[in-house]
Amino acid sequence: MRKFVTLLTAAALSIGMLAGCSGKAETDAAAAANNIASAAETETEKAHGASEAAEGPVEIKSLKIAFSPYADADQIITATEPMEELIKSSLMEKGYKVDDIDMTVGTSYTAVGEALSAGSADIGFISGGNYVLFSEDCDVLLTALRYAINKDSTDPRDWNDGTIEENTRDMSTYYRCIILAGPTPKGQELISKVNSGEDLTWEELNSATWSVLGPTSASGYIYPCLWLQDKYGKGISDLEHVVQSDSHTTSVARLAAGQADIMVSYGHIRIKNATIWESDFGGTAPMVEQTGVIGVTDGIYNDMIAYSKTSDLMQDEDFRKALGEAFIEMSETEEGKEIISVFSQVGYTWGKDSDYDKEREAQKLLKSLEE
């Protein structure tokens, strides 16, 4: 009996040892398999990394940017020259190597819209009015931000308090257009009448010489036209003495020189030009003393950076996103802010087509007025 128990104990120990060996073998095999798999994954990652390093960033031969003539071409070209390297550097960080950025200033607002439509410009800095006209062939990338100004009343007398408008620190997505009279006898006559609380007549306005921009400019044409329609049932095409300027700066120069009695522009036009009114444009006294607001329009949604739908480059949604981010990031730097100040812009936010539905309504009304 004792022998039987001993044999059973020996057998049990043998089975336990066998089981233990088997378990260890399985554990060792599993560990080896895991090590092999891990090594394989590491090699795959290395190969992938090496492949990515070999491929490098996506190379783009040229990015073509067109600027609307917000100011003189030379002024814009000088101000935006540092933009090329800033945008290149930012895009490189995002995986895009741009060999060349070709920046041009359009001869008119319409010319930039046409360039976007044809795909000869990849992106363009344009007004809302210009965008609506060409929106079949371009789309909104970013909407510009501006600092609001301290005068926002639709009563022109509130603008004629003897002080030049000032920027605030508040960001704004809209601005107003002003109808600004100058130092000519006719201009001063109109200012005096407005400041005395009298309404201007169509005959008085029609006898003045107006400086306007092309018909796609929101503050240089469209909204002043709507203002005339609202007040007098007339449009700019009904005025007898109109000269078309190629930029707001040219209109300011004409106003100072007495070549125009009235000009139309964005509400912060005097902020930009008060310091050079006499030195550059020949004004004979400070701008605030020689000019006065005689009309104020409804709010106008800010300008934008639009991209061409017909540009092969801009078909890439990932690149569009990277480009938009590059401009936003640039505008948040001191150097970037200095660059885009030539456009009276202080930053960018993502935009969308529906933001400009009011512009479409304005264009539709304008078209009916001009037919």
Side-chain angles (χ1 to χ4, degrees):
M1 182 72 176
R2 185 175 300 168
K3 187 177 180 180
F4 177 72
V5 171
T6 302
L7 289 174
L8 284 178
T9 302
L13 287 171
S14 297
I15 292 171
M17 290 177 66
L18 288 173
C21 290
S22 175
K24 184 176 185 305
E26 288 177 0
T27 301
D28 290 345
N34 287 336
N35 289 337
I36 293 169
S38 177
E41 287 177 4
T42 301
E43 290 304 315
T44 301
E45 288 173 1
K46 286 181 179 179
H48 183 65
S51 175
E52 285 187 338
E55 289 178 8
V58 177
E59 185 168 357
I60 293 169
K61 294 296 183 184
S62 176
L63 170 65
K64 298 181 289 296
I65 304 175
F67 302 114
S68 292
Y70 297 102
D72 287 339
D74 290 344
Q75 184 181 354
I76 293 176
I77 290 169
T78 300
T80 58
E81 185 177 354
M83 180 186 289
E84 179 173 357
E85 290 307 316
L86 290 177
I87 295 299
K88 277 184 178 181
S89 176
S90 183
L91 286 173
M92 176 64 84
E93 294 174 0
K94 302 177 194 311
Y96 295 92
K97 181 181 181 297
V98 180
D99 295 336
D100 178 62
I101 296 183
D102 179 19
M103 298 185 291
T104 59
V105 181
T107 55
S108 67
Y109 281 73
T110 304
V112 177
E114 290 172 343
L116 288 169
S117 182
S120 55
D122 300 308
I123 62 171
F125 286 60
I126 62 174
S127 68
N130 205 18
Y131 168 67
V132 168
L133 190 64
F134 293 97
S135 59
E136 285 189 9
D137 296 316
C138 62
D139 205 346
V140 185
L141 181 64
L142 302 173
T143 292
L145 296 172
R146 288 188 172 95
Y147 288 127
I149 62 176
N150 63 339
K151 297 176 184 177
D152 195 43
S153 171
T154 55
D155 185 341
R157 291 174 296 178
D158 294 335
W159 296 64
N160 298 333
D161 60 359
T163 66
I164 287 289
E165 296 72 45
E166 295 179 359
N167 287 319
T168 70
R169 301 306 295 178
D170 297 327
M171 295 287 192
S172 177
T173 57
Y174 77 94
Y175 63 102
R176 295 189 189 278
C177 162
I178 57 174
I179 292 85
L180 189 69
T184 63
K186 170 59 71 173
Q188 293 297 301
E189 175 191 326
L190 298 174
I191 295 168
S192 178
K193 190 170 183 181
V194 165
N195 287 342
S196 67
E198 298 180 62
D199 292 330
L200 300 177
T201 66
W202 168 255
E203 288 70 29
E204 288 170 324
L205 293 173
N206 192 36
S207 65
T209 298
W210 290 59
S211 180
V212 304
L213 270 61
T216 62
S217 171
S219 62
Y221 194 97
I222 297 171
Y223 277 77
C225 191
L226 296 175
W227 181 82
L228 287 171
Q229 170 62 22
D230 181 57
K231 300 283 186 183
Y232 307 101
K234 305 283 187 178
I236 286 177
S237 62
D238 295 310
L239 292 166
E240 293 181 8
H241 310 287
V242 176
V243 58
Q244 183 172 317
S245 295
D246 59 357
S247 71
H248 293 283
T249 306
T250 301
S251 286
V252 173
R254 284 178 168 155
L255 198 71
Q259 297 172 2
D261 304 304
I262 297 170
M263 67 169 285
V264 295
S265 189
Y266 41 80
H268 48 285
I269 187 69
R270 294 197 292 188
I271 297 175
K272 285 189 66 175
N273 294 281
T275 58
I276 56 174
W277 172 259
E278 295 171 80
S279 61
D280 289 24
F281 302 123
T284 56
M287 189 176 187
V288 70
E289 296 177 12
Q290 291 198 289
T291 63
V293 177
I294 61 173
V296 185
T297 74
D298 292 335
I300 307 168
Y301 209 82
N302 283 349
D303 292 358
M304 73 179 72
I305 300 177
Y307 69 88
S308 170
K309 293 179 183 177
T310 58
S311 158
D312 291 338
L313 173 61
M314 300 311 293
Q315 301 306 307
D316 185 342
E317 185 177 354
D318 290 336
F319 177 71
R320 293 202 305 267
K321 184 174 183 293
L323 184 59
E325 289 172 348
F327 274 103
I328 291 172
E329 290 166 7
M330 181 195 72
S331 72
E332 293 171 347
T333 67
E334 289 304 314
E335 188 176 7
K337 288 182 187 299
E338 180 66 24
I339 293 169
I340 64 176
S341 67
V342 72
F343 309 127
S344 298
Q345 298 169 0
V346 296
Y348 301 101
T349 187
W350 297 104
K352 57 183 184 296
D353 177 77
S354 60
D355 291 337
Y356 295 87
D357 284 345
K358 273 193 175 181
E359 291 293 338
R360 289 188 170 85
E361 294 173 16
Q363 288 276 7
K364 193 179 292 186
L365 178 58
L366 180 64
K367 189 175 180 181
S368 69
L369 294 176
E370 301 297 320
E371 286 178 347

